[in-house]
Amino acid sequence: MTPTENELILLTRRPQGNVDEDCFTFESQEISPPGPGEVHIRNIYLSCDPYLRLNMSSRFELGKPIPVRAVGEVVATADPRFAVGDVVWGFLAWERYSVARAADLTLVDSKLGPLSHAISVRGMIGLTAWVGMMSIGQPAPGDTVVVSAAAGAVGSVAGQLARLAGARVVGIAGGERKVSHVVENLGYDAAIDYKSGVSLKESLADACPDGVDVYFDNVGGTVLNAVLDQLGVGARLAICGGISQYQVEGQEETNLAKLMGSGATMKWFSIYDHLHELPAFVTRMARLVGEGKIVYYEDIADGFENVIPAFLGLFRGENLGKRLVRVSDEP
Amino acid sequence: MTPTENELILLTRRPQGNVDEDCFTFESQEISPPGPGEVHIRNIYLSCDPYLRLNMSSRFELGKPIPVRAVGEVVATADPRFAVGDVVWGFLAWERYSVARAADLTLVDSKLGPLSHAISVRGMIGLTAWVGMMSIGQPAPGDTVVVSAAAGAVGSVAGQLARLAGARVVGIAGGERKVSHVVENLGYDAAIDYKSGVSLKESLADACPDGVDVYFDNVGGTVLNAVLDQLGVGARLAICGGISQYQVEGQEETNLAKLMGSGATMKWFSIYDHLHELPAFVTRMARLVGEGKIVYYEDIADGFENVIPAFLGLFRGENLGKRLVRVSDEP
């Protein structure tokens, strides 16, 4: 029997500065059965990502559900491409149940590994790390690679990819717990604690005496500026995200003149330009994880009522790895 | 008979802020005949380039001649690679005569076009435009390309290359004379006068309603920042020089966060990483100029005593095209 009652989270106020609980409203709604070409999904894992904060300021509609990636189980279908019991992922929303067009969903193959990985390491998160590090950063044996938010969802993969490609990898993370994690569990060669009180510029100079060849940036602002002062000749910078700047009005500025003639390349890439690479990537990453070459940590909260606290915690740097919320059980 | 007396310009004070005549001293010195492997050159054309200003702050040695590119005639030789009467170019100095290692000189073929072009459009200046526009900017038919210092030594070539590659080209230049020149003589589709009093941001929005796909930057600072506000998706920015910033202490800063996810690529290239491309480029550019596909303007001052005024004038934007000083006659 398919459910008829849904619970969802609406964006009801645009955040000014720091996002807080007052921006969201929980609501119950009836669900109609799926129409032709549609599928009805019981959501299992909902994604919490820093970039959502940016879209809450402008792109997302007020009074509407918040679009996020989710993994769920098909509970009713009006399309021949999916059967009841199939596990799928798609851009759904922070809600218990979703109705989606079959054309917008992708089957998740449980033989490839954990189901949740379809929206983390084996999904767009992992692809983001792959494109930024391998296509833009292009680490080579002997290179020094720096990754910020090194313990985070994307950074943790980016750093491990650079290590597999033969580079020396230095992570930047906040706090002792993350710094140890990055070196001990993720195999980084060194890590810098930006909260330690030591100047980041000095720490970078110590950790990267020959300069930084590749920088994978997840945070922007002060950290980016410190790395710009330590670049080697011909450095490649993959600019992925800027969590430090998402909630700030007066943003950190950079003197670009210092890069003159440096041979440096900075690319502000968007993963949406690379979605065609996802199918091949899924297979590749499943193999790397299966062989233990990439280890991946997820930071999973439980319960639909915890979606907002889990999301807000991202901006306090709470999470070790990819933050997800489990809102119902795996099949 | 080879000369025994030379006249040269020494850097005797490092410029603070704006460079002026007090930084330089004219001196007479005796010249010894060329030793083994050396060649004695009567300089004809001396180069004046904005980038020299940067090197005067640190890289160039105090009390020494100022290294610049020059074209000259061999007047004595102690190396079999060159004969008296050959025209050569090399990194020589602001001086009437130079003694140089034959290995550091390149023969100039007068059949390829004007001799002076060996250190302008057919030389490193032209190669700078070529690398920045073609390898980094990669203009395609239908693209909108913006070039700053559009009437200058490098910009004038960069803009014409983009036009030949099928793009729509918008130049930025200072003053009515340059703006007309760029459109009427160089074939740009449009030009913006940054000195007109109209906001550069508005002018760019008018001239580039679909956004800027390629930006070739010769000036940095305010102009670069205005272009950053008008980028199209996936824009390519070739950062070549920053004449507006060379003499400034507190430099214009940029909020990089606005580029997040834009797909933009910025490369601060150095022509010294591309010198191996020069021989093939010389042939290519000689053909393009010979066929009239690229027109090139040189702004040639006369007389060794005018080297410093010609150089200082660059920072007042006096020059239309490449500034050179003719210090003796062509053979």
Side-chain angles (χ1 to χ4, degrees), chain A residues 120-139 145 147 149 152-162 188 214 216-218 238 240 269 271 274 277-278 281 285 294 296:
Chain A
S120 64
V121 65
R122 217 166 57 217
M124 282 175 60
I125 291 286
L127 182 63
T128 301
W130 175 264
V131 167
M133 186 55 74
M134 303 312 292
S135 301
I136 300 169
Q138 299 178 21
V145 173
V147 177
V154 172
S156 61
V157 186
Q160 292 182 76
L161 288 171
Y188 282 61
V214 177
F216 191 109
D217 186 30
N218 291 300
C240 172
F269 70 107
I271 198 60
H274 297 270
E277 300 176 38
L278 190 55
F281 174 78
M285 187 50 80
I294 296 278
Y296 198 68

mmCIF file of all heavy atoms in Angstrom, chain A residues 120-139 145 147 149 152-162 188 214 216-218 238 240 269 271 274 277-278 281 285 294 296:
data_model
loop_
_atom_site.group_PDB
_atom_site.id
_atom_site.type_symbol
_atom_site.label_atom_id
_atom_site.label_comp_id
_atom_site.label_asym_id
_atom_site.label_seq_id
_atom_site.Cartn_x
_atom_site.Cartn_y
_atom_site.Cartn_z
ATOM 1 N N SER A 120 27.061 10.103 -2.871
ATOM 2 C CA SER A 120 28.273 10.642 -2.240
ATOM 3 C C SER A 120 29.473 10.284 -3.109
ATOM 4 O O SER A 120 29.615 10.822 -4.205
ATOM 5 C CB SER A 120 28.404 10.145 -0.793
ATOM 6 O OG SER A 120 28.575 8.741 -0.721
ATOM 7 N N VAL A 121 30.282 9.325 -2.654
ATOM 8 C CA VAL A 121 31.566 9.114 -3.338
ATOM 9 C C VAL A 121 31.405 8.590 -4.765
ATOM 10 O O VAL A 121 32.197 8.897 -5.652
ATOM 11 C CB VAL A 121 32.473 8.182 -2.491
ATOM 12 C CG1 VAL A 121 31.863 6.782 -2.376
ATOM 13 C CG2 VAL A 121 33.885 8.113 -3.049
ATOM 14 N N ARG A 122 30.341 7.796 -4.998
ATOM 15 C CA ARG A 122 30.140 7.208 -6.331
ATOM 16 C C ARG A 122 29.251 8.120 -7.190
ATOM 17 O O ARG A 122 28.904 7.766 -8.313
ATOM 18 C CB ARG A 122 29.461 5.850 -6.132
ATOM 19 C CG ARG A 122 29.895 4.752 -7.056
ATOM 20 C CD ARG A 122 29.417 3.417 -6.518
ATOM 21 N NE ARG A 122 27.977 3.394 -6.342
ATOM 22 C CZ ARG A 122 27.339 2.783 -5.340
ATOM 23 N NH1 ARG A 122 28.007 2.137 -4.401
ATOM 24 N NH2 ARG A 122 26.030 2.810 -5.277
ATOM 25 N N GLY A 123 28.858 9.248 -6.636
ATOM 26 C CA GLY A 123 27.932 10.151 -7.328
ATOM 27 C C GLY A 123 28.584 11.487 -7.632
ATOM 28 O O GLY A 123 29.794 11.583 -7.843
ATOM 29 N N MET A 124 27.762 12.521 -7.609
ATOM 30 C CA MET A 124 28.252 13.831 -8.028
ATOM 31 C C MET A 124 29.334 14.384 -7.113
ATOM 32 O O MET A 124 30.206 15.130 -7.550
ATOM 33 C CB MET A 124 27.083 14.806 -8.123
ATOM 34 C CG MET A 124 26.295 14.566 -9.410
ATOM 35 S SD MET A 124 24.828 15.585 -9.478
ATOM 36 C CE MET A 124 25.560 17.209 -9.392
ATOM 37 N N ILE A 125 29.294 14.011 -5.833
ATOM 38 C CA ILE A 125 30.334 14.442 -4.894
ATOM 39 C C ILE A 125 31.700 13.897 -5.333
ATOM 40 O O ILE A 125 32.686 14.629 -5.427
ATOM 41 C CB ILE A 125 29.989 13.908 -3.482
ATOM 42 C CG1 ILE A 125 28.753 14.622 -2.942
ATOM 43 C CG2 ILE A 125 31.178 14.013 -2.532
ATOM 44 C CD1 ILE A 125 28.992 16.035 -2.514
ATOM 45 N N GLY A 126 31.721 12.610 -5.602
ATOM 46 C CA GLY A 126 32.970 11.997 -6.045
ATOM 47 C C GLY A 126 33.392 12.523 -7.405
ATOM 48 O O GLY A 126 34.579 12.777 -7.646
ATOM 49 N N LEU A 127 32.428 12.718 -8.291
ATOM 50 C CA LEU A 127 32.748 13.243 -9.627
ATOM 51 C C LEU A 127 33.338 14.656 -9.528
ATOM 52 O O LEU A 127 34.238 15.024 -10.281
ATOM 53 C CB LEU A 127 31.501 13.249 -10.517
ATOM 54 C CG LEU A 127 31.723 13.738 -11.955
ATOM 55 C CD1 LEU A 127 32.689 12.838 -12.718
ATOM 56 C CD2 LEU A 127 30.399 13.845 -12.714
ATOM 57 N N THR A 128 32.824 15.431 -8.576
ATOM 58 C CA THR A 128 33.359 16.775 -8.354
ATOM 59 C C THR A 128 34.844 16.700 -7.992
ATOM 60 O O THR A 128 35.673 17.448 -8.520
ATOM 61 C CB THR A 128 32.566 17.472 -7.235
ATOM 62 O OG1 THR A 128 31.195 17.544 -7.627
ATOM 63 C CG2 THR A 128 33.083 18.869 -6.964
ATOM 64 N N ALA A 129 35.168 15.780 -7.088
ATOM 65 C CA ALA A 129 36.569 15.594 -6.708
ATOM 66 C C ALA A 129 37.392 15.128 -7.911
ATOM 67 O O ALA A 129 38.506 15.598 -8.148
ATOM 68 C CB ALA A 129 36.666 14.578 -5.573
ATOM 69 N N TRP A 130 36.822 14.215 -8.675
ATOM 70 C CA TRP A 130 37.529 13.649 -9.835
ATOM 71 C C TRP A 130 37.834 14.718 -10.892
ATOM 72 O O TRP A 130 38.965 14.863 -11.347
ATOM 73 C CB TRP A 130 36.691 12.524 -10.447
ATOM 74 C CG TRP A 130 37.280 11.954 -11.704
ATOM 75 C CD1 TRP A 130 36.962 12.298 -12.980
ATOM 76 C CD2 TRP A 130 38.318 10.966 -11.807
ATOM 77 N NE1 TRP A 130 37.716 11.582 -13.875
ATOM 78 C CE2 TRP A 130 38.559 10.757 -13.177
ATOM 79 C CE3 TRP A 130 39.050 10.240 -10.869
ATOM 80 C CZ2 TRP A 130 39.515 9.847 -13.631
ATOM 81 C CZ3 TRP A 130 39.996 9.329 -11.325
ATOM 82 C CH2 TRP A 130 40.222 9.143 -12.685
ATOM 83 N N VAL A 131 36.814 15.477 -11.274
ATOM 84 C CA VAL A 131 36.988 16.499 -12.312
ATOM 85 C C VAL A 131 37.977 17.566 -11.836
ATOM 86 O O VAL A 131 38.910 17.937 -12.549
ATOM 87 C CB VAL A 131 35.634 17.141 -12.678
ATOM 88 C CG1 VAL A 131 35.825 18.404 -13.505
ATOM 89 C CG2 VAL A 131 34.762 16.142 -13.424
ATOM 90 N N GLY A 132 37.766 18.046 -10.607
ATOM 91 C CA GLY A 132 38.626 19.118 -10.103
ATOM 92 C C GLY A 132 40.072 18.667 -9.971
ATOM 93 O O GLY A 132 40.995 19.392 -10.352
ATOM 94 N N MET A 133 40.262 17.472 -9.428
ATOM 95 C CA MET A 133 41.640 17.031 -9.214
ATOM 96 C C MET A 133 42.267 16.514 -10.504
ATOM 97 O O MET A 133 43.362 16.931 -10.884
ATOM 98 C CB MET A 133 41.688 15.951 -8.124
ATOM 99 C CG MET A 133 43.103 15.535 -7.736
ATOM 100 S SD MET A 133 44.176 16.926 -7.223
ATOM 101 C CE MET A 133 43.515 17.300 -5.595
ATOM 102 N N MET A 134 41.577 15.617 -11.207
ATOM 103 C CA MET A 134 42.237 14.937 -12.323
ATOM 104 C C MET A 134 42.217 15.769 -13.611
ATOM 105 O O MET A 134 43.221 15.846 -14.308
ATOM 106 C CB MET A 134 41.604 13.563 -12.539
ATOM 107 C CG MET A 134 41.647 12.668 -11.295
ATOM 108 S SD MET A 134 43.278 12.580 -10.481
ATOM 109 C CE MET A 134 44.217 11.679 -11.723
ATOM 110 N N SER A 135 41.084 16.408 -13.934
ATOM 111 C CA SER A 135 41.021 17.151 -15.197
ATOM 112 C C SER A 135 41.633 18.543 -15.071
ATOM 113 O O SER A 135 42.225 19.051 -16.006
ATOM 114 C CB SER A 135 39.571 17.300 -15.670
ATOM 115 O OG SER A 135 38.990 16.033 -15.854
ATOM 116 N N ILE A 136 41.457 19.172 -13.912
ATOM 117 C CA ILE A 136 41.947 20.540 -13.750
ATOM 118 C C ILE A 136 43.296 20.551 -13.019
ATOM 119 O O ILE A 136 44.260 21.135 -13.484
ATOM 120 C CB ILE A 136 40.901 21.402 -13.015
ATOM 121 C CG1 ILE A 136 39.595 21.423 -13.833
ATOM 122 C CG2 ILE A 136 41.422 22.815 -12.782
ATOM 123 C CD1 ILE A 136 38.410 22.003 -13.114
ATOM 124 N N GLY A 137 43.352 19.891 -11.869
ATOM 125 C CA GLY A 137 44.590 19.902 -11.094
ATOM 126 C C GLY A 137 45.725 19.151 -11.769
ATOM 127 O O GLY A 137 46.874 19.557 -11.726
ATOM 128 N N GLN A 138 45.383 18.022 -12.371
ATOM 129 C CA GLN A 138 46.379 17.206 -13.076
ATOM 130 C C GLN A 138 47.640 16.976 -12.253
ATOM 131 O O GLN A 138 48.752 17.321 -12.673
ATOM 132 C CB GLN A 138 46.732 17.850 -14.426
ATOM 133 C CG GLN A 138 45.529 17.972 -15.353
ATOM 134 C CD GLN A 138 45.878 18.653 -16.676
ATOM 135 O OE1 GLN A 138 47.017 18.708 -17.099
ATOM 136 N NE2 GLN A 138 44.856 19.158 -17.358
ATOM 137 N N PRO A 139 47.484 16.342 -11.084
ATOM 138 C CA PRO A 139 48.663 16.100 -10.250
ATOM 139 C C PRO A 139 49.595 15.085 -10.903
ATOM 140 O O PRO A 139 49.130 14.128 -11.516
ATOM 141 C CB PRO A 139 48.065 15.521 -8.967
ATOM 142 C CG PRO A 139 46.784 14.891 -9.391
ATOM 143 C CD PRO A 139 46.264 15.736 -10.519
ATOM 144 N N VAL A 145 50.401 18.816 -3.612
ATOM 145 C CA VAL A 145 48.981 19.122 -3.790
ATOM 146 C C VAL A 145 48.402 19.539 -2.445
ATOM 147 O O VAL A 145 48.654 18.876 -1.432
ATOM 148 C CB VAL A 145 48.229 17.883 -4.318
ATOM 149 C CG1 VAL A 145 46.726 18.125 -4.344
ATOM 150 C CG2 VAL A 145 48.746 17.502 -5.707
ATOM 151 N N VAL A 147 44.758 20.455 -0.443
ATOM 152 C CA VAL A 147 43.303 20.347 -0.492
ATOM 153 C C VAL A 147 42.741 21.001 0.760
ATOM 154 O O VAL A 147 43.177 20.673 1.869
ATOM 155 C CB VAL A 147 42.866 18.858 -0.540
ATOM 156 C CG1 VAL A 147 41.349 18.738 -0.507
ATOM 157 C CG2 VAL A 147 43.436 18.162 -1.772
ATOM 158 N N ALA A 149 39.318 21.931 3.255
ATOM 159 C CA ALA A 149 38.208 21.084 3.710
ATOM 160 C C ALA A 149 38.570 19.629 3.409
ATOM 161 O O ALA A 149 37.793 18.862 2.853
ATOM 162 C CB ALA A 149 36.881 21.481 3.055
ATOM 163 N N GLY A 152 36.375 16.786 4.324
ATOM 164 C CA GLY A 152 34.985 16.929 3.917
ATOM 165 C C GLY A 152 34.576 15.965 2.821
ATOM 166 O O GLY A 152 35.359 15.120 2.368
ATOM 167 N N ALA A 153 33.340 16.102 2.388
ATOM 168 C CA ALA A 153 32.746 15.171 1.426
ATOM 169 C C ALA A 153 33.549 15.096 0.136
ATOM 170 O O ALA A 153 33.855 14.005 -0.361
ATOM 171 C CB ALA A 153 31.311 15.621 1.125
ATOM 172 N N VAL A 154 33.898 16.243 -0.406
ATOM 173 C CA VAL A 154 34.619 16.304 -1.684
ATOM 174 C C VAL A 154 36.128 16.227 -1.447
ATOM 175 O O VAL A 154 36.850 15.464 -2.089
ATOM 176 C CB VAL A 154 34.253 17.592 -2.443
ATOM 177 C CG1 VAL A 154 35.126 17.767 -3.677
ATOM 178 C CG2 VAL A 154 32.770 17.583 -2.834
ATOM 179 N N GLY A 155 36.604 17.036 -0.500
ATOM 180 C CA GLY A 155 38.040 17.124 -0.248
ATOM 181 C C GLY A 155 38.666 15.785 0.084
ATOM 182 O O GLY A 155 39.777 15.475 -0.361
ATOM 183 N N SER A 156 37.939 14.960 0.849
ATOM 184 C CA SER A 156 38.518 13.680 1.268
ATOM 185 C C SER A 156 38.792 12.781 0.065
ATOM 186 O O SER A 156 39.745 12.001 0.064
ATOM 187 C CB SER A 156 37.600 12.979 2.272
ATOM 188 O OG SER A 156 36.338 12.714 1.692
ATOM 189 N N VAL A 157 37.987 12.896 -0.981
ATOM 190 C CA VAL A 157 38.217 12.116 -2.202
ATOM 191 C C VAL A 157 39.310 12.771 -3.050
ATOM 192 O O VAL A 157 40.201 12.095 -3.586
ATOM 193 C CB VAL A 157 36.925 11.987 -3.034
ATOM 194 C CG1 VAL A 157 37.142 11.064 -4.227
ATOM 195 C CG2 VAL A 157 35.782 11.479 -2.174
ATOM 196 N N ALA A 158 39.247 14.094 -3.162
ATOM 197 C CA ALA A 158 40.225 14.816 -3.993
ATOM 198 C C ALA A 158 41.646 14.518 -3.523
ATOM 199 O O ALA A 158 42.540 14.237 -4.331
ATOM 200 C CB ALA A 158 39.944 16.316 -3.947
ATOM 201 N N GLY A 159 41.862 14.563 -2.210
ATOM 202 C CA GLY A 159 43.198 14.314 -1.677
ATOM 203 C C GLY A 159 43.666 12.893 -1.949
ATOM 204 O O GLY A 159 44.820 12.660 -2.324
ATOM 205 N N GLN A 160 42.768 11.931 -1.779
ATOM 206 C CA GLN A 160 43.157 10.535 -2.017
ATOM 207 C C GLN A 160 43.459 10.287 -3.491
ATOM 208 O O GLN A 160 44.360 9.512 -3.828
ATOM 209 C CB GLN A 160 42.058 9.590 -1.531
ATOM 210 C CG GLN A 160 41.910 9.587 -0.011
ATOM 211 C CD GLN A 160 40.837 8.592 0.438
ATOM 212 O OE1 GLN A 160 41.056 7.394 0.453
ATOM 213 N NE2 GLN A 160 39.668 9.116 0.786
ATOM 214 N N LEU A 161 42.727 10.940 -4.384
ATOM 215 C CA LEU A 161 43.009 10.792 -5.823
ATOM 216 C C LEU A 161 44.405 11.321 -6.159
ATOM 217 O O LEU A 161 45.152 10.708 -6.925
ATOM 218 C CB LEU A 161 41.952 11.523 -6.652
ATOM 219 C CG LEU A 161 40.571 10.867 -6.693
ATOM 220 C CD1 LEU A 161 39.557 11.802 -7.360
ATOM 221 C CD2 LEU A 161 40.617 9.520 -7.421
ATOM 222 N N ALA A 162 44.757 12.464 -5.554
ATOM 223 C CA ALA A 162 46.076 13.044 -5.827
ATOM 224 C C ALA A 162 47.183 12.109 -5.328
ATOM 225 O O ALA A 162 48.211 11.930 -5.985
ATOM 226 C CB ALA A 162 46.189 14.410 -5.166
ATOM 227 N N TYR A 188 46.762 11.188 3.823
ATOM 228 C CA TYR A 188 47.457 12.419 3.421
ATOM 229 C C TYR A 188 48.876 12.382 4.001
ATOM 230 O O TYR A 188 49.116 11.810 5.060
ATOM 231 C CB TYR A 188 46.739 13.657 3.977
ATOM 232 C CG TYR A 188 45.498 14.091 3.237
ATOM 233 C CD1 TYR A 188 44.396 13.244 3.124
ATOM 234 C CD2 TYR A 188 45.413 15.366 2.677
ATOM 235 C CE1 TYR A 188 43.242 13.668 2.458
ATOM 236 C CE2 TYR A 188 44.266 15.789 2.021
ATOM 237 C CZ TYR A 188 43.190 14.940 1.911
ATOM 238 O OH TYR A 188 42.052 15.360 1.267
ATOM 239 N N VAL A 214 49.378 22.092 -7.079
ATOM 240 C CA VAL A 214 47.940 21.944 -7.318
ATOM 241 C C VAL A 214 47.208 22.335 -6.043
ATOM 242 O O VAL A 214 47.595 21.918 -4.952
ATOM 243 C CB VAL A 214 47.567 20.484 -7.680
ATOM 244 C CG1 VAL A 214 46.054 20.338 -7.841
ATOM 245 C CG2 VAL A 214 48.292 20.031 -8.949
ATOM 246 N N PHE A 216 43.234 22.366 -4.559
ATOM 247 C CA PHE A 216 41.818 22.068 -4.715
ATOM 248 C C PHE A 216 41.099 22.837 -3.618
ATOM 249 O O PHE A 216 41.244 22.531 -2.435
ATOM 250 C CB PHE A 216 41.586 20.557 -4.568
ATOM 251 C CG PHE A 216 40.200 20.119 -4.970
ATOM 252 C CD1 PHE A 216 40.005 19.384 -6.131
ATOM 253 C CD2 PHE A 216 39.086 20.429 -4.202
ATOM 254 C CE1 PHE A 216 38.741 18.961 -6.525
ATOM 255 C CE2 PHE A 216 37.818 20.034 -4.582
ATOM 256 C CZ PHE A 216 37.643 19.293 -5.744
ATOM 257 N N ASP A 217 40.340 23.851 -4.012
ATOM 258 C CA ASP A 217 39.765 24.776 -3.033
ATOM 259 C C ASP A 217 38.293 24.505 -2.790
ATOM 260 O O ASP A 217 37.477 24.569 -3.709
ATOM 261 C CB ASP A 217 39.934 26.214 -3.533
ATOM 262 C CG ASP A 217 39.489 27.234 -2.493
ATOM 263 O OD1 ASP A 217 39.601 26.940 -1.291
ATOM 264 O OD2 ASP A 217 39.015 28.312 -2.879
ATOM 265 N N ASN A 218 37.968 24.239 -1.541
ATOM 266 C CA ASN A 218 36.575 24.060 -1.144
ATOM 267 C C ASN A 218 36.072 25.180 -0.253
ATOM 268 O O ASN A 218 34.907 25.165 0.128
ATOM 269 C CB ASN A 218 36.421 22.744 -0.368
ATOM 270 C CG ASN A 218 36.626 21.528 -1.257
ATOM 271 O OD1 ASN A 218 35.903 21.348 -2.223
ATOM 272 N ND2 ASN A 218 37.624 20.713 -0.944
ATOM 273 N N ALA A 238 41.965 24.377 -8.810
ATOM 274 C CA ALA A 238 40.600 23.959 -9.102
ATOM 275 C C ALA A 238 39.708 24.551 -8.022
ATOM 276 O O ALA A 238 39.809 24.172 -6.856
ATOM 277 C CB ALA A 238 40.502 22.442 -9.113
ATOM 278 N N CYS A 240 36.374 24.866 -6.382
ATOM 279 C CA CYS A 240 35.184 24.014 -6.335
ATOM 280 C C CYS A 240 34.072 24.659 -5.534
ATOM 281 O O CYS A 240 32.927 24.715 -5.950
ATOM 282 C CB CYS A 240 35.604 22.689 -5.702
ATOM 283 S SG CYS A 240 34.247 21.601 -5.343
ATOM 284 N N PHE A 269 35.201 25.651 -11.554
ATOM 285 C CA PHE A 269 34.435 24.693 -12.351
ATOM 286 C C PHE A 269 33.071 24.425 -11.737
ATOM 287 O O PHE A 269 32.848 24.635 -10.551
ATOM 288 C CB PHE A 269 35.228 23.405 -12.562
ATOM 289 C CG PHE A 269 35.421 22.560 -11.338
ATOM 290 C CD1 PHE A 269 34.725 21.376 -11.186
ATOM 291 C CD2 PHE A 269 36.327 22.924 -10.352
ATOM 292 C CE1 PHE A 269 34.907 20.574 -10.068
ATOM 293 C CE2 PHE A 269 36.520 22.133 -9.237
ATOM 294 C CZ PHE A 269 35.803 20.958 -9.086
ATOM 295 N N ILE A 271 30.204 21.402 -11.599
ATOM 296 C CA ILE A 271 30.029 19.979 -11.865
ATOM 297 C C ILE A 271 28.902 19.739 -12.877
ATOM 298 O O ILE A 271 28.877 18.723 -13.575
ATOM 299 C CB ILE A 271 29.804 19.200 -10.551
ATOM 300 C CG1 ILE A 271 30.069 17.724 -10.764
ATOM 301 C CG2 ILE A 271 28.431 19.470 -9.963
ATOM 302 C CD1 ILE A 271 31.492 17.423 -11.235
ATOM 303 N N HIS A 274 29.738 18.679 -16.247
ATOM 304 C CA HIS A 274 30.448 17.405 -16.375
ATOM 305 C C HIS A 274 29.544 16.203 -16.109
ATOM 306 O O HIS A 274 30.030 15.094 -15.913
ATOM 307 C CB HIS A 274 31.636 17.377 -15.401
ATOM 308 C CG HIS A 274 32.660 18.427 -15.699
ATOM 309 N ND1 HIS A 274 33.724 18.196 -16.545
ATOM 310 C CD2 HIS A 274 32.756 19.723 -15.313
ATOM 311 C CE1 HIS A 274 34.439 19.304 -16.636
ATOM 312 N NE2 HIS A 274 33.882 20.241 -15.911
ATOM 313 N N GLU A 277 29.910 12.819 -17.658
ATOM 314 C CA GLU A 277 31.003 11.929 -17.252
ATOM 315 C C GLU A 277 30.588 10.978 -16.140
ATOM 316 O O GLU A 277 31.356 10.090 -15.745
ATOM 317 C CB GLU A 277 32.210 12.753 -16.772
ATOM 318 C CG GLU A 277 32.768 13.699 -17.830
ATOM 319 C CD GLU A 277 33.903 14.583 -17.296
ATOM 320 O OE1 GLU A 277 34.723 14.093 -16.493
ATOM 321 O OE2 GLU A 277 33.958 15.764 -17.686
ATOM 322 N N LEU A 278 29.366 11.184 -15.596
ATOM 323 C CA LEU A 278 28.986 10.434 -14.396
ATOM 324 C C LEU A 278 28.885 8.917 -14.608
ATOM 325 O O LEU A 278 29.423 8.154 -13.802
ATOM 326 C CB LEU A 278 27.686 11.009 -13.809
ATOM 327 C CG LEU A 278 27.282 10.498 -12.430
ATOM 328 C CD1 LEU A 278 28.382 10.697 -11.392
ATOM 329 C CD2 LEU A 278 26.005 11.185 -11.938
ATOM 330 N N PHE A 281 32.163 7.351 -14.530
ATOM 331 C CA PHE A 281 32.786 7.576 -13.224
ATOM 332 C C PHE A 281 32.257 6.603 -12.173
ATOM 333 O O PHE A 281 33.007 6.123 -11.317
ATOM 334 C CB PHE A 281 32.549 9.016 -12.766
ATOM 335 C CG PHE A 281 33.026 9.269 -11.370
ATOM 336 C CD1 PHE A 281 34.371 9.447 -11.105
ATOM 337 C CD2 PHE A 281 32.126 9.289 -10.313
ATOM 338 C CE1 PHE A 281 34.819 9.648 -9.807
ATOM 339 C CE2 PHE A 281 32.563 9.493 -9.010
ATOM 340 C CZ PHE A 281 33.912 9.667 -8.765
ATOM 341 N N MET A 285 34.754 4.570 -9.802
ATOM 342 C CA MET A 285 34.866 4.814 -8.367
ATOM 343 C C MET A 285 34.427 3.588 -7.564
ATOM 344 O O MET A 285 34.997 3.301 -6.507
ATOM 345 C CB MET A 285 34.064 6.053 -7.966
ATOM 346 C CG MET A 285 34.256 6.473 -6.509
ATOM 347 S SD MET A 285 35.993 6.611 -5.955
ATOM 348 C CE MET A 285 36.436 8.230 -6.604
ATOM 349 N N ILE A 294 40.372 3.893 -2.375
ATOM 350 C CA ILE A 294 39.753 5.103 -1.820
ATOM 351 C C ILE A 294 38.912 4.660 -0.628
ATOM 352 O O ILE A 294 38.080 3.747 -0.765
ATOM 353 C CB ILE A 294 38.820 5.778 -2.855
ATOM 354 C CG1 ILE A 294 39.600 6.275 -4.082
ATOM 355 C CG2 ILE A 294 38.000 6.899 -2.212
ATOM 356 C CD1 ILE A 294 40.277 7.608 -3.940
ATOM 357 N N TYR A 296 36.099 5.956 2.202
ATOM 358 C CA TYR A 296 35.140 7.059 2.223
ATOM 359 C C TYR A 296 34.334 7.037 3.502
ATOM 360 O O TYR A 296 33.818 5.998 3.909
ATOM 361 C CB TYR A 296 34.202 6.986 1.007
ATOM 362 C CG TYR A 296 33.514 8.317 0.787
ATOM 363 C CD1 TYR A 296 34.249 9.416 0.372
ATOM 364 C CD2 TYR A 296 32.151 8.485 1.041
ATOM 365 C CE1 TYR A 296 33.658 10.656 0.207
ATOM 366 C CE2 TYR A 296 31.547 9.726 0.883
ATOM 367 C CZ TYR A 296 32.312 10.808 0.460
ATOM 368 O OH TYR A 296 31.730 12.031 0.296
#
